[in-house]
Amino acid sequence: MARATRRAILASYRAEAPMLAERYENLGPGVSLGPFSWALGLDVEGRRRSGDVARPLRVLDLGAGTGAGARSGGRAGLLGWAVEPGTALWRFEGRRLVADELPGLLRLAGAPRFDCILALGVWHHLSPPERRLAWRRLRALARPRGQVLMSVRLGPSPPGRARFPANLWSERAQARAQGFTLMRHEPRASVPPGNRAQNVRWLWLWFERRG
């Protein structure tokens, strides 16, 4: 992504931060905990269905927004790292925020490996070459058999927030090239009524890193 495009995207989020923060905070536990339930065996209230609490699981939330995902993970006993380019949306003082961004994630050099990496609502902002770089970084950050969960926006994006086309087949191919297997995919309608009126949809993807 050109530097000017990235600046425009970040400026758009900053300009609408109060409205967006309220929207993200009101999505409800079914949305924020849904990804964890896929890969980590949690129910909608954040309890581990397996009953295995021997080792807290380490989760990396890329594009953490307000911190809703970090809060949900914390309630489930997960050890969360939250990454966001700035603090305009951040509403969660109980968790450390790392100021970094995809695709390079340069400030995560030396970070521990993660059991689960979330990229919710951010992947569509990356161009195809940036996605290839991002997948290489995800491989470096994921433990063997670690999970990657992402939601990719399909349909129009607001002015100032560039959206690059994506589909299931291209993402599966790029993930496979870095040693990830597609475990599950699911299309979902967008929650906000304005997005539904514009036929905005989301493609949810769950990958697992092979050994």
Side-chain angles (χ1 to χ4, degrees):
M1 186 193 316
R3 186 172 300 177
T5 303
R6 183 179 290 110
R7 285 199 301 265
I9 292 172
L10 296 178
S12 176
Y13 278 108
R14 285 194 299 269
E16 299 187 38
M19 178 273 292
L20 292 171
E22 182 178 2
R23 176 187 296 178
Y24 298 160
E25 290 291 291
N26 290 326
L27 287 176
V31 175
S32 57
L33 278 169
F36 296 121
S37 70
W38 280 13
L40 301 179
L42 307 180
D43 65 20
V44 73
E45 297 301 325
R47 295 181 292 264
R48 297 241 290 301
R49 286 195 295 263
S50 66
D52 177 15
V53 293
R55 180 177 68 85
L57 301 177
R58 185 176 286 116
V59 175
L60 174 63
D61 190 359
L62 301 175
T66 63
R71 278 199 304 277
S72 297
R75 286 195 296 268
L78 309 180
L79 300 177
W81 287 46
V83 175
E84 178 72 11
T87 60
L89 291 168
W90 191 245
R91 300 292 185 274
F92 186 27
E93 296 181 0
R95 189 59 54 91
R96 178 171 176 260
L97 176 67
V98 179
D100 207 346
E101 60 188 275
L102 288 161
L105 299 172
L106 300 179
R107 294 186 180 179
L108 291 181
R113 291 196 170 187
F114 295 89
D115 298 284
C116 184
I117 301 174
L118 306 178
L120 307 182
V122 297
W123 204 253
H124 59 280
H125 291 316
L126 302 178
S127 66
E130 288 175 321
R131 289 176 190 162
R132 287 193 289 273
L133 172 58
W135 272 115
R136 291 197 293 271
R137 293 294 293 126
L138 294 183
R139 176 173 176 81
L141 290 164
R143 295 167 56 96
R145 299 198 65 184
Q147 317 292 308
V148 171
L149 296 107
M150 62 176 61
S151 62
V152 184
R153 185 181 180 116
L154 307 176
S157 191
R161 293 183 221 156
R163 181 186 71 84
F164 295 89
N167 59 63
L168 170 64
W169 316 114
S170 63
E171 297 311 319
R172 182 170 67 175
Q174 291 195 52
R176 182 184 297 162
Q178 296 302 322
F180 289 88
T181 300
L182 178 66
M183 306 296 290
R184 178 173 170 178
H185 61 92
E186 181 177 308
R188 295 186 183 182
S190 188
V191 173
N195 281 356
R196 286 176 176 266
Q198 298 183 63
N199 196 33
V200 174
R201 306 168 317 285
W202 293 89
L203 177 62
W204 288 66
L205 304 169
W206 167 22
F207 299 92
E208 181 176 274
R209 183 190 158 184
R210 301 188 294 273

